[in-house]
Amino acid sequence: MLDLFADEAPWQEPLAEGAVILRRFACADAQSLIAQIFRLAEQSPFRQMVTPGGYTMSVAMTNCGEAGWTTDKHGYLYSPIDPQTQQPWPAMPAVFRQLSDAASKAAGYADFVPDACLINRYAPGAKLSLHQDKDERNLQQPIVSVSLGLPAVFQFGGLKRSDPLTRVMLEHGDVVVWGGPSRLFYHGILPLKAGRHPATDEFRFNLTFRCTR
Ligand code: SIN
Ligand code: FE2
């Protein structure tokens, strides 16, 4: 399909102190990122994880990199092994690394070297409740979050769950980077609206790069 916005240059939108949206930053790499997602999922399939409280998450997840975010009976953890396949998570593809590197630099974080990439797949209705990314040992490093496919409403708050929320639509190719003062800010995704996207059909994918060391 002809994408009238394919040549649109990326632009930046400040979100909070230490947090910025790099609009369309990943558009040029989107096709290869998506191809890699499908390849990775052949090795470590998407699965709906069950929280320690017994709730099956609506978002389907997998990981790549040296460590992957997962759940077990006791809590949330980063594991070098995919509990479903009992094999290491697949390695992080070069195009993932390069994008994360360029995005973190563009956002002003110089030395971000992620060892983990969580891959989220949203089908219509899937959501991610308000949460903090706080299972990483290294909170000095930012989070780099890449949106692909269908648009979704991202909520970004503050250090307290009750802090006021900013709601922004994240679209295909948008990258959000948050760190420093906003590293532990609450955030989430509202239920995905059904639709069709030329690159991902009825899904939204999200890549979040983290440094867990
Ligand atoms: C996350 O918080 O892990 C993902 C956010 C998103 O899907 O944009
Ligand atoms: Fe998160």
Side-chain angles (χ1 to χ4, degrees):
M1 193 181 121
L2 179 69
D3 183 353
L4 294 173
F5 298 99
D7 296 329
E8 201 174 26
W11 68 98
Q12 298 200 4
E13 279 174 30
L15 183 60
E17 213 188 323
V20 65
I21 309 177
L22 309 174
R23 293 286 187 191
R24 314 300 187 263
F25 193 87
C27 277
D29 292 315
Q31 291 302 339
S32 43
L33 294 169
I34 292 162
Q36 290 298 327
I37 292 172
F38 287 122
R39 193 186 60 81
L40 295 167
E42 283 172 22
Q43 196 176 326
S44 273
F46 282 101
R47 79 293 305 264
Q48 287 174 262
M49 295 182 187
V50 180
T51 67
Y55 166 81
T56 301
M57 300 181 78
S58 57
V59 179
M61 299 177 172
T62 185
N63 289 276
C64 65
E66 288 143 57
W69 187 86
T70 186
T71 62
D72 71 9
K73 281 195 280 296
H74 311 290
Y76 305 106
L77 67 153
Y78 280 98
S79 166
I81 300 293
D82 175 350
Q84 185 166 313
T85 64
Q86 295 292 320
Q87 299 293 314
W89 299 102
M92 209 183 284
V95 61
F96 279 35
R97 261 181 210 296
Q98 285 152 11
L99 177 69
S100 155
D101 192 53
S104 53
K105 285 198 171 67
Y109 294 98
D111 305 306
F112 179 51
V113 183
D115 61 333
C117 176
L118 172 67
I119 309 171
N120 293 317
R121 186 185 69 192
Y122 297 76
K127 66 178 168 76
L128 206 55
S129 308
L130 223 47
H131 67 280
Q132 294 169 294
D133 289 3
K134 59 175 184 192
D135 303 317
E136 301 72 34
R137 208 171 307 150
N138 188 338
L139 297 175
Q140 305 310 313
Q141 295 281 4
I143 300 280
V144 172
S145 169
V146 181
S147 293
L148 296 165
L150 287 179
V153 178
F154 182 62
Q155 308 196 95
F156 200 71
L159 285 173
K160 296 197 301 282
R161 191 181 283 278
S162 56
D163 284 339
L165 298 169
T166 302
R167 291 194 179 85
V168 288
M169 185 70 94
L170 294 182
E171 294 182 67
H172 183 66
D174 289 348
V175 179
V176 188
V177 183
W178 66 94
S182 56
R183 176 61 181 75
L184 287 174
F185 278 15
Y186 275 90
H187 59 278
I189 291 284
L190 295 184
L192 190 81
K193 272 185 65 178
R196 288 209 176 274
H197 190 279
T200 62
D201 205 18
E202 75 268 42
F203 294 114
R204 169 180 187 261
F205 293 98
N206 167 262
L207 310 174
T208 28
F209 295 92
R210 294 101 185 269
C211 180
T212 72
R213 296 164 298 217

Coordinates of all heavy atoms in Angstrom, one line a residue, residues 128 131-133 178 187 208 210, ligand 2:
L128 N -2.5 -2.9 28.6 CA -1.5 -3.1 29.7 C -1.8 -2.1 30.8 O -1.8 -0.9 30.6 CB -0.1 -2.8 29.1 CG 1.1 -3.5 29.7 CD1 0.9 -5.0 29.8 CD2 2.4 -3.1 29.0
H131 N 1.5 0.6 35.2 CA 2.6 -0.1 36.0 C 3.9 0.7 35.9 O 4.0 1.6 35.1 CB 2.8 -1.5 35.4 CG 3.4 -1.5 34.0 ND1 2.6 -1.3 32.9 CD2 4.7 -1.6 33.5 CE1 3.4 -1.2 31.8 NE2 4.6 -1.4 32.1
Q132 N 4.9 0.3 36.7 CA 6.2 0.9 36.6 C 7.1 -0.2 36.0 O 6.9 -1.4 36.4 CB 6.7 1.2 38.0 CG 6.0 2.4 38.7 CD 6.4 2.5 40.1 OE1 6.2 1.6 40.9 NE2 7.1 3.6 40.5
D133 N 8.1 0.2 35.3 CA 9.2 -0.8 34.9 C 10.2 -0.7 35.9 O 11.1 0.2 35.9 CB 9.8 -0.4 33.5 CG 8.8 -0.6 32.3 OD1 7.6 -1.0 32.6 OD2 9.2 -0.4 31.2
W178 N 12.1 7.0 27.9 CA 12.0 7.7 29.2 C 13.1 7.2 30.2 O 13.5 6.0 30.2 CB 10.6 7.6 29.8 CG 10.1 6.2 30.2 CD1 10.2 5.7 31.5 CD2 9.4 5.3 29.4 NE1 9.6 4.4 31.5 CE2 9.1 4.2 30.2 CE3 9.0 5.3 28.1 CZ2 8.4 3.1 29.8 CZ3 8.3 4.1 27.6 CH2 8.0 3.1 28.4
H187 N 3.0 3.9 33.7 CA 2.5 4.0 32.3 C 1.7 2.8 31.9 O 1.7 1.8 32.6 CB 3.7 4.2 31.3 CG 4.7 3.0 31.4 ND1 5.6 2.9 32.4 CD2 4.8 1.9 30.7 CE1 6.3 1.8 32.3 NE2 5.8 1.1 31.3
T208 N 10.2 -3.2 23.8 CA 10.8 -2.3 24.9 C 12.2 -2.9 25.2 O 12.4 -4.0 25.6 CB 10.0 -2.2 26.2 OG1 9.3 -3.3 26.4 CG2 9.2 -1.0 26.2
R210 N 15.5 -2.7 27.4 CA 15.9 -2.4 28.8 C 17.3 -2.9 29.1 O 17.8 -3.8 28.5 CB 15.0 -3.2 29.8 CG 13.5 -2.9 29.8 CD 12.7 -3.8 29.0 NE 11.3 -3.4 28.9 CZ 10.4 -3.8 29.8 NH1 10.7 -4.6 30.8 NH2 9.1 -3.4 29.7
Ligands
FE2_2 FE 6.2 -0.9 30.9

